[in-house]
Amino acid sequence: MDLLNTLVDKGLRRETPSREEALAVLATRDDELLDVVAAAGKVRRQWFGRRVKLNYLVNLKSGLCPEDCSYCSQRLGSKAEILKYTWLKPDEASQAAAAGVAGGAKRVCLVASGRGPTDKDVDRVAATIDAIKAENEGVEVCACLGLLSDGQAERLRGAGADAYNHNLNTSEATYGDITTTHTYADRVDTVQKAHAAGLSACSGLIAGMGESDEDLVDVVFGLRELDPDSVPVNFLIPFEGTPLAKEWNLTPQRCLRILAMVRFVCPDVEVRIAGGREVHLRTMQPLALHIANSIFLGDYLTSEGQAGRADLEMIADAGFEVEGTDQVTLPEHRAGGCGSVCGPEEAEAAGTPEVSEARTDLVAVRRRGAGTDLAPNA
């Protein structure tokens, strides 16, 4: 396809595709899917070889959030039967992180529910970062604590944080339909604060919330303008007890197209397959590794993931290798900072996307690891 040849050429030169080209990727037919994956794979291998970076989540504080994000099982008013607990102590969080590092994780992501941290919360997280780094040489630590106030990003950087995550999630035009307690602009401001403080910015999206192709392209182009080093692509986990519990809009094929579109728009950025990959990609997860260069190992914040051993076997069976702590994730022109991201023939329309049957059997609430007496999944 001329479209894919054009996108590969642009990706290898770090050039930005047009919106029309990005939309055309999402409109490709199922019988073109392997061509799309192969094309995105050429761009992925140019900048990241065959390495897969492993990340591990530690949920420092679960549930009881005052924000009303419709997709979240920890939201205000959520009836999802998730684990709920207050702040883990630094040694508890360090023990949880150690399980992920032992499983091969290079980065530990420290997450806490809530609108944003107080200064006391920042002190707690600083102590946790210190405890984790004292026990795990070479590990990266990313904090994800919500909206940041002035000076907090600098304090986290001074405490040893390497990165900060705050996702845009969806397009600015539809953001108010998903969340009313804060705005898209608030999220942009936090990513910019992290970037300005010298933290590696991590910001991504959630697909499957009923958004249009145009919304997906809008949020990815918005991310490109923010210039994060890492873009997590989440696929909605429709938790019972949340407003989006009935939103089963994704097929494995659509998930692969979305990942490919992100790769073409952000060719030299760490593209991470995040929450929901087991639920929506299912047996096609290995194909996604040809597009993305990063995944989460084991469980997520409030849901269980694929067993860590199965993740490692999948990576090896697909012909990839786990990235070591002695290897630099980003290409040379981006490594060490938050460098510049990126400086047609229309595909035949695919028509109305096929809607997946609801697979509630694949949504398993986390009952192990942080906040419990059971061993974590890593």
Side-chain angles (χ1 to χ4, degrees):
M1 296 171 62
D2 289 346
L3 167 69
L4 296 178
N5 291 333
T6 297
L7 288 169
V8 169
D9 288 343
K10 288 187 173 183
L12 298 183
R13 296 194 302 266
R14 294 188 293 128
E15 292 182 13
T16 308
S18 67
R19 284 181 50 84
E20 291 73 21
E21 288 165 342
L23 285 166
V25 172
L26 298 178
T28 50
R29 303 185 304 269
D30 283 351
D31 61 6
E32 299 168 322
L33 184 63
L34 289 180
D35 295 328
V36 173
V37 173
K42 290 180 181 178
V43 178
R44 180 243 201 269
R45 289 192 299 276
Q46 166 72 16
W47 301 114
F48 300 96
R50 302 193 69 80
R51 292 174 285 116
V52 177
K53 181 176 182 177
L54 298 182
N55 308 267
Y56 189 70
L57 284 165
V58 176
N59 198 356
L60 296 177
K61 180 167 73 80
S62 184
L64 309 175
C65 184
E67 302 298 287
D68 68 354
C69 306
S70 298
Y71 51 80
C72 186
S73 61
Q74 304 183 76
R75 74 187 297 272
L76 178 70
S78 171
K79 294 180 174 57
E81 297 180 355
I82 61 170
L83 291 169
K84 298 182 177 68
Y85 52 86
T86 191
W87 289 92
L88 297 181
K89 295 181 173 62
D91 62 329
E92 294 172 327
S94 181
Q95 289 174 12
V101 174
K106 178 178 179 176
R107 172 174 287 188
V108 172
C109 303
L110 302 175
V111 188
S113 61
R115 179 178 178 84
T118 64
D119 287 341
K120 183 178 179 180
D121 294 335
V122 173
D123 290 339
R124 285 192 181 102
V125 175
T128 299
I129 294 170
D130 185 62
I132 290 172
K133 291 207 166 189
E135 296 295 326
N136 302 282
E137 184 178 356
V139 71
E140 299 174 4
V141 176
C142 178
C144 177
L145 311 174
L147 301 173
L148 292 175
S149 301
D150 289 346
Q152 290 184 327
E154 288 79 5
R155 289 180 60 198
L156 288 167
R157 181 74 176 115
D162 300 284
Y164 195 83
N165 167 261
H166 199 60
N167 296 328
L168 296 187
N169 290 328
T170 193
S171 69
E172 184 173 13
T174 59
Y175 197 85
D177 297 332
I178 299 298
T179 303
T180 67
T181 47
H182 60 266
T183 66
Y184 180 91
D186 290 332
R187 288 186 170 266
V188 168
D189 178 68
T190 285
V191 178
Q192 290 173 334
K193 280 184 168 72
H195 206 156
L199 292 165
S200 179
C202 173
S203 187
L205 64 141
I206 304 173
M209 298 190 290
E211 70 283 335
S212 66
D213 285 2
E214 288 76 11
D215 290 322
L216 286 170
V217 170
D218 281 348
V219 69
V220 175
F221 272 73
L223 289 165
R224 184 193 63 79
E225 291 176 8
L226 278 178
D227 193 23
D229 289 324
S230 178
V231 175
V233 180
N234 295 277
F235 302 109
L236 176 71
I237 301 177
F239 275 95
E240 292 295 329
T242 65
L244 299 184
K246 306 304 180 186
E247 294 288 341
W248 289 86
N249 303 310
L250 297 170
T251 63
Q253 294 85 356
R254 176 135 175 100
C255 292
L256 289 170
R257 291 188 191 97
I258 291 168
L259 286 168
M261 185 268 288
V262 174
R263 173 57 72 200
F264 289 131
V265 176
C266 301
D268 60 342
V269 169
E270 176 190 343
V271 175
R272 185 183 311 157
I273 320 170
R277 65 176 164 94
E278 299 90 345
V279 177
H280 296 293
L281 280 163
R282 301 191 286 277
T283 58
M284 295 180 75
Q285 288 183 69
L287 273 183
L289 295 176
H290 291 271
I291 304 171
N293 63 295
S294 179
I295 65 171
F296 280 110
L297 178 75
D299 294 336
Y300 302 98
L301 296 176
T302 61
S303 65
E304 293 185 353
Q306 183 167 277
R309 181 183 295 276
D311 286 337
L312 297 176
E313 290 174 350
M314 176 181 71
I315 291 168
D317 288 347
F320 294 90
E321 62 182 26
V322 173
E323 183 174 291
T325 56
D326 60 338
Q327 294 175 295
V328 178
T329 300
L330 298 173
E332 186 176 355
H333 61 272
R334 290 190 66 92
C338 306
S340 173
V341 159
C342 317
E345 179 181 326
E346 290 285 343
E348 183 177 339
T352 303
E354 180 184 353
V355 177
S356 278
E357 177 186 357
R359 289 294 305 275
T360 56
D361 59 304
L362 295 177
V363 179
V365 173
R366 180 174 68 82
R367 301 294 183 198
R368 59 197 177 198
T372 77
D373 295 327
L374 299 178
N377 173 27

